[in-house]
Amino acid sequence: MSPPFSRGFHRRHEAERADADRVPPGQYVVNDFPVLSAGPTPHTPLDQWSFTINGAVDEPRTWTWEQFQTLPAEEVTRDIHCVTHWSKLGTTWRGVAVDTLLQGIETSAEYVVEFADGGYTTNVPLDDLRDGKAWVAYEFDGEPLESEHGGPARMLVPHLYFWKSAKWVRGLTLSDDDRPGFWEQNGYHNYGDPWREQRYWND
Amino acid sequence: MAAPRAGWQSATLRDKRTETDRAATLHLLTDAWPGHRAGQHVDVRLTAEDGYQAQRSYSIASPPEDDGDVALTVERLDDGEVSPYLVDEMAPGDMCELRGPIGGWFVWDADDGGPLLLVGGGSGVVPLMSMLRHRAALHSGVPARLLLSARSLDDVLYADELHGLDAGDDELDVSITLTRTAPPDWPGYARRVDRPMLEEVAWPAADRPRVYVCGPTPFVESVAAGLVDLGHDAGLVKTERFGATGS
Protein backbone atom coordinates (compact mmCIF):
# COMPACT_ATOMS: atom_id res chain seq x y z
CA MET A 1 0.00 0.00 0.00
CA SER A 2 1.47 3.33 -0.97
CA PRO A 3 1.70 5.98 1.72
CA PRO A 4 -0.88 8.77 1.85
CA PHE A 5 0.12 12.10 0.30
CA SER A 6 0.46 15.04 2.60
CA ARG A 7 -1.56 17.62 0.68
CA GLY A 8 0.56 20.62 -0.25
CA PHE A 9 3.85 19.18 0.93
CA HIS A 10 6.76 19.41 -1.48
CA ARG A 11 10.54 19.26 -1.48
CA ARG A 12 12.10 22.54 -0.43
CA HIS A 13 15.78 21.72 -0.58
CA GLU A 14 16.64 21.08 -4.22
CA ALA A 15 20.35 21.22 -3.49
CA GLU A 16 20.19 17.88 -1.75
CA ARG A 17 19.48 16.15 -5.05
CA ALA A 18 23.09 16.45 -6.17
CA ASP A 19 24.20 14.20 -3.34
CA ALA A 20 21.13 12.01 -3.36
CA ASP A 21 23.09 8.79 -3.83
CA ARG A 22 25.08 9.58 -0.68
CA VAL A 23 22.03 10.04 1.53
CA PRO A 24 20.46 6.89 3.00
CA PRO A 25 16.66 6.51 3.08
CA GLY A 26 14.85 8.70 5.61
CA GLN A 27 17.83 11.02 6.10
CA TYR A 28 18.31 14.71 5.28
CA VAL A 29 21.54 16.64 4.88
CA VAL A 30 22.63 19.21 7.45
CA ASN A 31 25.53 21.62 7.30
CA ASP A 32 25.91 22.13 11.03
CA PHE A 33 26.74 19.39 13.48
CA PRO A 34 23.85 18.50 15.80
CA VAL A 35 24.49 16.73 19.08
CA LEU A 36 22.74 13.72 20.55
CA SER A 37 23.68 12.39 23.95
CA ALA A 38 21.85 10.95 26.89
CA GLY A 39 23.38 12.85 29.79
CA PRO A 40 25.80 15.53 30.89
CA THR A 41 29.03 15.91 28.90
CA PRO A 42 31.96 14.35 30.80
CA HIS A 43 35.28 16.19 30.93
CA THR A 44 38.19 13.87 31.55
CA PRO A 45 41.56 15.67 31.86
CA LEU A 46 44.08 14.35 29.35
CA ASP A 47 46.50 13.28 32.08
CA GLN A 48 43.78 10.99 33.43
CA TRP A 49 42.69 9.70 30.02
CA SER A 50 43.58 6.27 28.77
CA PHE A 51 42.40 3.89 26.10
CA THR A 52 42.06 0.19 26.88
CA ILE A 53 41.39 -2.96 24.91
CA ASN A 54 40.27 -5.75 27.22
CA GLY A 55 37.92 -8.72 27.48
CA ALA A 56 38.58 -11.81 25.37
CA VAL A 57 42.18 -10.91 24.51
CA ASP A 58 45.47 -12.59 25.34
CA GLU A 59 46.48 -9.58 27.38
CA PRO A 60 44.71 -6.22 27.92
CA ARG A 61 46.41 -3.17 26.37
CA THR A 62 46.27 0.38 27.66
CA TRP A 63 47.59 3.59 26.18
CA THR A 64 47.89 6.92 27.96
CA TRP A 65 46.97 10.08 26.02
CA GLU A 66 50.64 10.72 25.40
CA GLN A 67 51.24 7.20 24.12
CA PHE A 68 48.12 7.36 22.00
CA GLN A 69 49.41 10.47 20.25
CA THR A 70 52.54 8.61 19.14
CA LEU A 71 50.49 5.95 17.29
CA PRO A 72 50.28 6.34 13.51
CA ALA A 73 47.26 8.53 12.75
CA GLU A 74 45.15 8.75 9.62
CA GLU A 75 43.06 11.55 8.17
CA VAL A 76 39.73 10.30 6.85
CA THR A 77 36.80 12.04 5.18
CA ARG A 78 33.46 10.29 5.51
CA ASP A 79 29.70 10.88 5.46
CA ILE A 80 28.02 10.37 8.83
CA HIS A 81 24.40 9.43 9.50
CA CYS A 82 22.50 9.97 12.77
CA VAL A 83 19.41 7.92 13.55
CA THR A 84 17.58 11.19 14.30
CA HIS A 85 17.49 11.63 10.50
CA TRP A 86 20.36 14.01 9.82
CA SER A 87 23.35 13.18 7.67
CA LYS A 88 26.47 15.27 7.37
CA LEU A 89 28.50 14.76 4.22
CA GLY A 90 32.25 14.90 3.88
CA THR A 91 33.30 15.23 7.51
CA THR A 92 37.05 15.14 8.10
CA TRP A 93 38.59 13.45 11.09
CA ARG A 94 42.02 12.49 12.33
CA GLY A 95 42.63 9.51 14.54
CA VAL A 96 44.03 6.05 14.97
CA ALA A 97 42.59 3.14 12.99
CA VAL A 98 41.22 0.34 15.15
CA ASP A 99 43.33 -1.96 12.95
CA THR A 100 46.41 -0.24 14.36
CA LEU A 101 45.21 -0.75 17.94
CA LEU A 102 44.44 -4.42 17.32
CA GLN A 103 47.87 -5.19 15.87
CA GLY A 104 49.48 -8.04 17.78
CA ILE A 105 46.35 -8.77 19.81
CA GLU A 106 45.25 -12.38 19.80
CA THR A 107 41.51 -12.91 20.06
CA SER A 108 38.77 -15.26 18.98
CA ALA A 109 36.14 -12.65 19.85
CA GLU A 110 33.46 -11.75 17.34
CA TYR A 111 31.88 -8.84 19.19
CA VAL A 112 32.93 -5.57 20.77
CA VAL A 113 31.41 -3.23 23.32
CA GLU A 114 32.72 0.33 23.01
CA PHE A 115 32.74 1.91 26.47
CA ALA A 116 32.93 5.59 27.31
CA ASP A 117 33.10 8.15 30.08
CA GLY A 118 29.64 8.74 31.50
CA GLY A 119 28.80 5.03 31.28
CA TYR A 120 27.73 4.93 27.62
CA THR A 121 28.19 1.66 25.78
CA THR A 122 27.42 0.45 22.27
CA ASN A 123 27.97 -2.93 20.67
CA VAL A 124 29.34 -3.77 17.21
CA PRO A 125 30.61 -6.91 15.53
CA LEU A 126 34.42 -6.91 15.59
CA ASP A 127 34.52 -7.25 11.80
CA ASP A 128 32.80 -3.85 11.56
CA LEU A 129 35.78 -2.21 13.26
CA ARG A 130 38.40 -3.92 11.08
CA ASP A 131 39.89 -3.38 7.63
CA GLY A 132 39.83 0.39 7.59
CA LYS A 133 36.24 0.77 8.75
CA ALA A 134 36.71 2.39 12.18
CA TRP A 135 38.92 4.85 14.02
CA VAL A 136 39.42 6.42 17.41
CA ALA A 137 39.26 10.06 16.33
CA TYR A 138 40.63 13.03 18.26
CA GLU A 139 40.47 15.78 15.64
CA PHE A 140 37.52 17.12 13.68
CA ASP A 141 38.07 19.54 10.79
CA GLY A 142 41.70 19.98 11.81
CA GLU A 143 40.92 21.00 15.39
CA PRO A 144 40.98 19.02 18.62
CA LEU A 145 37.59 17.35 19.03
CA GLU A 146 35.28 19.45 21.23
CA SER A 147 33.89 17.74 24.31
CA GLU A 148 30.26 18.12 23.22
CA HIS A 149 31.10 16.16 20.07
CA GLY A 150 32.89 13.48 22.06
CA GLY A 151 36.33 14.89 22.76
CA PRO A 152 39.01 14.24 23.71
CA ALA A 153 38.42 11.12 21.59
CA ARG A 154 35.45 9.33 20.09
CA MET A 155 34.85 6.32 17.91
CA LEU A 156 34.27 6.88 14.21
CA VAL A 157 32.36 4.00 12.62
CA PRO A 158 30.82 5.90 9.73
CA HIS A 159 29.16 3.00 7.93
CA LEU A 160 26.74 2.54 10.86
CA TYR A 161 24.31 5.01 12.44
CA PHE A 162 26.32 7.44 14.51
CA TRP A 163 25.22 6.19 17.93
CA LYS A 164 27.57 3.28 17.14
CA SER A 165 30.43 5.80 17.26
CA ALA A 166 30.75 6.27 21.02
CA LYS A 167 31.63 9.76 22.20
CA TRP A 168 34.19 10.11 25.02
CA VAL A 169 35.33 6.57 24.23
CA ARG A 170 37.76 4.97 26.67
CA GLY A 171 38.11 1.50 25.27
CA LEU A 172 36.86 -1.64 23.62
CA THR A 173 35.79 -4.82 25.36
CA LEU A 174 36.05 -7.84 23.07
CA SER A 175 33.80 -10.81 23.71
CA ASP A 176 32.57 -14.04 22.18
CA ASP A 177 28.93 -13.08 22.65
CA ASP A 178 26.97 -10.02 21.57
CA ARG A 179 25.97 -7.72 24.45
CA PRO A 180 23.51 -4.95 23.57
CA GLY A 181 24.69 -1.49 24.61
CA PHE A 182 22.84 1.55 25.93
CA TRP A 183 20.56 2.57 23.05
CA GLU A 184 20.38 -1.03 21.87
CA GLN A 185 18.63 -1.81 25.18
CA ASN A 186 16.44 1.27 24.80
CA GLY A 187 14.61 0.58 21.58
CA TYR A 188 17.29 1.04 18.93
CA HIS A 189 18.48 -1.54 16.41
CA ASN A 190 21.24 -3.93 17.39
CA TYR A 191 23.28 -3.41 14.20
CA GLY A 192 22.23 -0.01 12.78
CA ASP A 193 22.96 -0.04 9.04
CA PRO A 194 21.65 3.29 7.67
CA TRP A 195 21.36 1.92 4.11
CA ARG A 196 18.98 -0.75 5.35
CA GLU A 197 17.33 1.82 7.65
CA GLN A 198 17.90 -0.28 10.74
CA ARG A 199 16.81 2.38 13.23
CA TYR A 200 14.72 0.60 15.81
CA TRP A 201 13.96 -2.80 17.22
CA ASN A 202 12.26 -5.00 14.61
CA ASP A 203 13.62 -3.01 11.64
CA MET B 1 9.65 -0.88 27.22
CA ALA B 2 7.45 -2.20 24.50
CA ALA B 3 9.17 -2.51 21.17
CA PRO B 4 8.23 0.31 18.81
CA ARG B 5 5.99 -0.71 15.95
CA ALA B 6 8.16 -1.53 13.01
CA GLY B 7 5.84 -0.02 10.46
CA TRP B 8 4.48 3.36 9.56
CA GLN B 9 0.89 4.19 10.36
CA SER B 10 -1.28 6.62 8.47
CA ALA B 11 -2.37 9.54 10.62
CA THR B 12 -4.97 12.21 10.06
CA LEU B 13 -4.74 15.70 11.50
CA ARG B 14 -7.80 15.99 13.69
CA ASP B 15 -7.15 19.40 15.15
CA LYS B 16 -4.44 22.02 15.22
CA ARG B 17 -3.93 24.58 17.92
CA THR B 18 -1.71 27.63 17.62
CA GLU B 19 0.56 27.84 20.65
CA THR B 20 2.77 30.82 19.79
CA ASP B 21 3.76 32.76 16.66
CA ARG B 22 6.14 29.96 15.80
CA ALA B 23 4.63 26.83 17.27
CA ALA B 24 1.49 24.75 16.92
CA THR B 25 0.16 21.58 18.47
CA LEU B 26 -1.02 18.92 16.04
CA HIS B 27 -3.53 16.35 17.23
CA LEU B 28 -3.02 13.29 15.05
CA LEU B 29 -5.37 10.36 14.87
CA THR B 30 -4.18 6.87 13.97
CA ASP B 31 -6.09 3.64 13.68
CA ALA B 32 -4.08 1.81 16.29
CA TRP B 33 -1.82 3.92 18.47
CA PRO B 34 0.09 1.42 20.64
CA GLY B 35 0.36 3.87 23.54
CA HIS B 36 3.42 5.72 24.75
CA ARG B 37 5.32 6.79 27.84
CA ALA B 38 5.78 10.41 28.87
CA GLY B 39 8.93 11.79 27.23
CA GLN B 40 8.97 9.60 24.13
CA HIS B 41 9.02 10.87 20.56
CA VAL B 42 7.71 9.81 17.17
CA ASP B 43 9.00 9.93 13.65
CA VAL B 44 6.80 11.83 11.22
CA ARG B 45 6.96 11.09 7.49
CA LEU B 46 5.55 13.35 4.80
CA THR B 47 5.07 12.20 1.21
CA ALA B 48 4.75 14.73 -1.62
CA GLU B 49 2.63 14.01 -4.67
CA ASP B 50 5.80 13.34 -6.68
CA GLY B 51 6.77 10.66 -4.17
CA TYR B 52 9.43 12.70 -2.37
CA GLN B 53 9.52 11.85 1.32
CA ALA B 54 10.93 13.56 4.39
CA GLN B 55 11.17 12.28 7.95
CA ARG B 56 11.72 14.12 11.22
CA SER B 57 11.48 13.27 14.91
CA TYR B 58 9.14 15.20 17.24
CA SER B 59 8.45 14.88 20.94
CA ILE B 60 5.00 13.84 22.09
CA ALA B 61 3.24 16.51 24.16
CA SER B 62 0.21 14.52 25.23
CA PRO B 63 0.25 12.17 28.23
CA PRO B 64 -0.10 8.40 27.93
CA GLU B 65 -3.58 8.78 29.41
CA ASP B 66 -4.91 10.60 26.31
CA ASP B 67 -6.07 7.63 24.32
CA GLY B 68 -7.88 9.64 21.66
CA ASP B 69 -5.00 11.03 19.67
CA VAL B 70 -1.30 11.87 19.76
CA ALA B 71 -0.38 15.53 20.22
CA LEU B 72 2.90 16.90 18.86
CA THR B 73 3.97 20.47 19.47
CA VAL B 74 6.15 21.62 16.60
CA GLU B 75 8.19 24.80 16.35
CA ARG B 76 8.75 26.29 12.90
CA LEU B 77 12.35 26.41 11.71
CA ASP B 78 12.24 29.00 8.95
CA ASP B 79 14.70 27.24 6.65
CA GLY B 80 13.23 23.85 7.45
CA GLU B 81 11.39 21.58 5.09
CA VAL B 82 9.01 19.77 7.39
CA SER B 83 8.23 22.09 10.32
CA PRO B 84 6.89 25.00 8.18
CA TYR B 85 4.50 22.56 6.54
CA LEU B 86 3.32 21.13 9.85
CA VAL B 87 2.95 24.50 11.56
CA ASP B 88 1.60 26.64 8.71
CA GLU B 89 0.11 24.51 5.97
CA MET B 90 -1.22 21.25 7.28
CA ALA B 91 -4.95 21.49 7.92
CA PRO B 92 -7.47 19.23 9.63
CA GLY B 93 -8.18 16.24 7.43
CA ASP B 94 -4.68 16.24 5.91
CA MET B 95 -2.59 13.12 6.32
CA CYS B 96 0.92 12.08 7.22
CA GLU B 97 2.52 8.97 8.66
CA LEU B 98 3.71 8.27 12.18
CA ARG B 99 6.10 5.75 13.55
CA GLY B 100 6.64 5.08 17.20
CA PRO B 101 6.66 5.69 20.02
CA ILE B 102 10.44 5.77 20.17
CA GLY B 103 12.95 5.99 22.99
CA GLY B 104 13.22 4.17 26.27
CA TRP B 105 15.56 6.50 28.14
CA PHE B 106 14.19 10.03 28.32
CA VAL B 107 10.94 8.83 29.91
CA TRP B 108 9.26 9.29 33.25
CA ASP B 109 6.51 7.12 34.67
CA ALA B 110 4.71 8.27 37.81
CA ASP B 111 5.77 4.97 39.38
CA ASP B 112 9.40 6.07 39.02
CA GLY B 113 8.75 8.57 41.80
CA GLY B 114 10.68 11.74 42.45
CA PRO B 115 11.34 14.39 43.32
CA LEU B 116 11.19 15.45 39.72
CA LEU B 117 13.20 18.30 38.22
CA LEU B 118 12.34 19.33 34.68
CA VAL B 119 14.37 21.97 32.86
CA GLY B 120 13.27 23.01 29.38
CA GLY B 121 14.65 25.50 26.88
CA GLY B 122 12.20 26.79 24.25
CA SER B 123 10.30 23.92 22.68
CA GLY B 124 12.36 21.58 24.84
CA VAL B 125 9.45 21.84 27.23
CA VAL B 126 7.34 19.58 24.99
CA PRO B 127 8.37 16.15 26.35
CA LEU B 128 8.44 17.65 29.87
CA MET B 129 4.83 18.74 29.38
CA SER B 130 3.91 15.16 28.60
CA MET B 131 5.45 14.21 31.97
CA LEU B 132 3.56 16.96 33.84
CA ARG B 133 0.28 16.04 32.13
CA HIS B 134 0.91 12.38 32.98
CA ARG B 135 1.59 13.36 36.60
CA ALA B 136 -1.60 15.46 36.71
CA ALA B 137 -3.75 12.81 35.01
CA LEU B 138 -2.80 10.29 37.68
CA HIS B 139 -3.11 12.84 40.51
CA SER B 140 0.40 11.80 41.39
CA GLY B 141 1.69 13.57 44.46
CA VAL B 142 5.31 13.30 43.32
CA PRO B 143 6.93 16.68 44.11
CA ALA B 144 7.89 18.34 40.84
CA ARG B 145 9.58 21.50 39.69
CA LEU B 146 9.73 22.89 36.20
CA LEU B 147 12.19 25.55 35.12
CA LEU B 148 11.28 26.85 31.69
CA SER B 149 13.46 29.19 29.66
CA ALA B 150 11.94 31.18 26.79
CA ARG B 151 12.96 34.25 24.84
CA SER B 152 9.88 36.26 25.76
CA LEU B 153 6.51 35.74 27.38
CA ASP B 154 4.99 35.29 23.92
CA ASP B 155 7.32 32.36 23.32
CA VAL B 156 6.28 30.41 26.42
CA LEU B 157 4.51 27.23 25.37
CA TYR B 158 1.47 26.11 27.35
CA ALA B 159 1.60 29.27 29.51
CA ASP B 160 -2.04 29.16 30.64
CA GLU B 161 -2.07 25.44 31.27
CA LEU B 162 1.17 25.61 33.26
CA HIS B 163 -0.23 28.46 35.32
CA GLY B 164 -3.32 26.41 36.06
CA LEU B 165 -1.38 23.29 36.97
CA ASP B 166 0.91 25.30 39.21
CA ALA B 167 -1.90 27.15 40.95
CA GLY B 168 -3.83 24.02 41.81
CA ASP B 169 -1.01 21.81 43.01
CA ASP B 170 1.03 22.37 46.16
CA GLU B 171 3.54 19.78 45.06
CA LEU B 172 4.30 21.50 41.75
CA ASP B 173 6.35 24.65 41.23
CA VAL B 174 6.72 26.26 37.83
CA SER B 175 9.48 28.84 37.33
CA ILE B 176 9.90 30.76 34.10
CA THR B 177 12.89 32.74 32.94
CA LEU B 178 12.73 35.14 29.98
CA THR B 179 16.06 35.56 28.24
CA ARG B 180 15.44 38.42 25.79
CA THR B 181 12.51 40.58 26.76
CA ALA B 182 10.45 40.60 29.92
CA PRO B 183 7.46 42.79 30.83
CA PRO B 184 8.29 45.57 33.33
CA ASP B 185 6.24 43.92 36.07
CA TRP B 186 7.56 40.42 35.35
CA PRO B 187 7.88 38.55 38.64
CA GLY B 188 10.01 35.68 37.31
CA TYR B 189 13.60 35.42 36.24
CA ALA B 190 14.88 37.46 33.30
CA ARG B 191 18.21 35.98 32.27
CA ARG B 192 19.72 32.80 30.91
CA VAL B 193 19.65 29.84 33.26
CA ASP B 194 22.77 30.07 35.40
CA ARG B 195 24.15 28.33 38.41
CA PRO B 196 22.55 30.61 41.05
CA MET B 197 19.18 30.07 39.36
CA LEU B 198 19.67 26.31 39.35
CA GLU B 199 20.68 26.47 42.98
CA GLU B 200 17.43 28.25 43.83
CA VAL B 201 15.12 26.16 41.69
CA ALA B 202 16.64 22.69 41.69
CA TRP B 203 16.19 20.36 44.60
CA PRO B 204 19.27 19.99 46.77
CA ALA B 205 21.54 17.36 45.25
CA ALA B 206 21.15 15.34 48.44
CA ASP B 207 17.45 14.85 47.59
CA ARG B 208 18.59 12.98 44.48
CA PRO B 209 15.92 14.33 42.13
CA ARG B 210 15.27 12.66 38.81
CA VAL B 211 16.33 15.30 36.34
CA TYR B 212 15.20 15.76 32.73
CA VAL B 213 16.79 18.50 30.64
CA CYS B 214 15.61 19.20 27.09
CA GLY B 215 16.39 22.03 24.71
CA PRO B 216 18.92 23.26 22.19
CA THR B 217 22.41 21.85 22.68
CA PRO B 218 24.09 24.91 24.27
CA PHE B 219 21.21 25.15 26.76
CA VAL B 220 21.40 21.47 27.66
CA GLU B 221 25.20 21.58 27.92
CA SER B 222 25.07 24.53 30.27
CA VAL B 223 22.24 23.25 32.48
CA ALA B 224 23.56 19.70 32.75
CA ALA B 225 27.08 20.91 33.57
CA GLY B 226 25.67 23.33 36.17
CA LEU B 227 23.71 20.57 37.88
CA VAL B 228 26.73 18.27 37.98
CA ASP B 229 28.74 21.17 39.46
CA LEU B 230 26.08 21.52 42.15
CA GLY B 231 26.65 17.91 43.12
CA HIS B 232 23.85 16.18 41.22
CA ASP B 233 24.65 12.62 40.21
CA ALA B 234 25.34 12.65 36.46
CA GLY B 235 23.61 9.28 36.30
CA LEU B 236 20.31 10.90 37.36
CA VAL B 237 20.49 13.69 34.78
CA LYS B 238 18.82 12.64 31.54
CA THR B 239 19.16 14.91 28.56
CA GLU B 240 17.58 15.32 25.18
CA ARG B 241 18.99 17.80 22.69
CA PHE B 242 17.70 19.08 19.42
CA GLY B 243 18.42 21.47 16.65
CA ALA B 244 21.42 23.18 15.23
CA THR B 245 24.50 23.84 17.27
CA GLY B 246 26.26 26.16 14.85
CA SER B 247 29.44 24.25 15.52
Side-chain angles (χ1 to χ4, degrees):
Chain A
M1 199 179 81
S2 58
F5 297 136
S6 294
R7 183 199 56 83
F9 173 68
H10 53 89
R11 181 200 301 264
R12 280 182 75 164
H13 294 157
E14 294 295 326
E16 289 175 18
R17 276 187 172 156
D19 293 316
D21 59 342
R22 290 169 67 182
V23 184
Q27 298 290 109
Y28 66 100
V29 174
V30 297
N31 295 313
D32 52 21
F33 194 166
V35 171
L36 179 75
S37 22
T41 296
H43 298 274
T44 299
L46 295 183
D47 60 9
Q48 288 165 37
W49 187 92
S50 61
F51 191 90
T52 298
I53 295 182
N54 59 21
V57 294
D58 51 343
E59 197 182 327
R61 313 289 164 90
T62 295
W63 296 264
T64 64
W65 181 258
E66 217 165 60
Q67 291 166 337
F68 205 81
Q69 298 297 308
T70 66
L71 297 172
E74 299 173 10
E75 187 171 291
V76 290
T77 299
R78 292 291 186 279
D79 301 340
I80 57 177
H81 310 291
C82 181
V83 70
T84 61
H85 301 286
W86 58 265
S87 291
K88 189 170 171 63
L89 305 184
T91 61
T92 301
W93 306 79
R94 188 175 175 79
V96 178
V98 174
D99 295 312
T100 303
L101 300 172
L102 290 173
Q103 268 169 25
I105 290 183
E106 304 265 340
T107 182
S108 60
E110 291 182 29
Y111 298 98
V112 177
V113 171
E114 307 168 11
F115 60 91
D117 282 324
Y120 182 75
T121 58
T122 186
N123 56 308
V124 281
L126 180 56
D127 280 349
D128 282 82
L129 302 186
R130 282 188 152 145
D131 302 324
K133 291 199 285 286
W135 296 263
V136 178
Y138 48 74
E139 281 183 18
F140 174 73
D141 254 356
E143 301 287 338
L145 187 59
E146 289 177 39
S147 58
E148 71 182 40
H149 291 305
R154 73 173 299 160
M155 292 299 295
L156 175 65
V157 192
H159 68 289
L160 300 177
Y161 280 125
F162 218 39
W163 89 80
K164 294 289 187 179
S165 297
K167 292 194 270 195
W168 316 301
V169 70
R170 294 293 299 276
L172 307 174
T173 300
L174 279 55
S175 66
D176 297 325
D177 54 330
D178 194 12
R179 301 171 188 171
F182 177 82
W183 288 117
E184 292 83 2
Q185 294 172 44
N186 279 289
Y188 288 80
H189 196 272
N190 196 54
Y191 183 65
D193 179 352
W195 294 98
R196 287 186 279 164
E197 226 180 334
Q198 294 173 333
R199 298 178 192 278
Y200 313 121
W201 292 353
N202 309 326
D203 274 350
Chain B
M1 60 169 280
R5 291 278 175 104
W8 291 94
Q9 297 192 57
S10 294
T12 305
L13 184 65
R14 187 177 66 76
D15 185 36
K16 186 154 86 171
R17 180 196 152 110
T18 298
E19 299 283 359
T20 69
D21 285 351
R22 296 184 298 138
T25 295
L26 291 83
H27 291 269
L28 294 162
L29 207 56
T30 63
D31 283 342
W33 182 245
H36 65 273
R37 296 163 71 192
Q40 287 189 299
H41 62 277
V42 291
D43 283 356
V44 174
R45 182 163 76 180
L46 303 180
T47 302
E49 285 190 38
D50 67 359
Y52 173 70
Q53 293 187 322
Q55 295 181 28
R56 299 291 186 276
S57 297
Y58 293 104
S59 291
I60 300 171
S62 46
E65 291 72 24
D66 272 11
D67 50 11
D69 57 34
V70 179
L72 311 179
T73 302
V74 177
E75 185 175 46
R76 181 198 313 110
L77 304 174
D78 288 328
D79 60 347
E81 185 168 63
V82 172
S83 62
Y85 176 81
L86 296 177
V87 174
D88 301 328
E89 292 181 48
M90 197 176 187
D94 287 345
M95 299 190 74
C96 65
E97 288 173 288
L98 287 188
R99 187 171 179 202
I102 295 155
W105 171 250
F106 195 84
V107 292
W108 181 74
D109 301 318
D111 290 346
D112 294 339
L116 189 59
L117 175 63
L118 310 176
V119 187
S123 57
V125 72
V126 174
L128 310 180
M129 195 64 191
S130 177
M131 296 178 191
L132 288 179
R133 286 169 168 163
H134 168 57
R135 181 183 166 280
L138 294 187
H139 305 286
S140 156
V142 169
R145 293 177 182 171
L146 169 69
L147 173 58
L148 167 55
S149 172
R151 298 196 291 201
S152 74
L153 209 45
D154 290 339
D155 292 305
V156 176
L157 292 172
Y158 320 120
D160 291 345
E161 185 179 349
L162 283 172
H163 184 73
L165 286 174
D166 190 11
D169 185 342
D170 289 338
E171 295 297 339
L172 173 66
D173 279 308
V174 175
S175 304
I176 295 175
T177 185
L178 303 177
T179 58
R180 285 197 192 164
T181 50
D185 57 345
W186 173 244
Y189 295 107
R191 61 180 198 268
R192 289 181 182 277
V193 174
D194 54 21
R195 190 170 153 159
M197 193 187 303
L198 287 172
E199 207 158 7
E200 286 174 27
V201 173
W203 307 88
D207 290 359
R208 298 185 58 75
R210 293 166 186 277
V211 185
Y212 296 82
V213 186
C214 185
T217 289
F219 175 87
V220 171
E221 284 291 313
S222 148
V223 170
L227 290 167
V228 170
D229 276 353
L230 288 170
H232 291 266
D233 181 349
L236 293 174
V237 179
K238 298 189 176 187
T239 64
E240 183 127 295
R241 303 156 208 244
F242 59 79
T245 63
S247 61

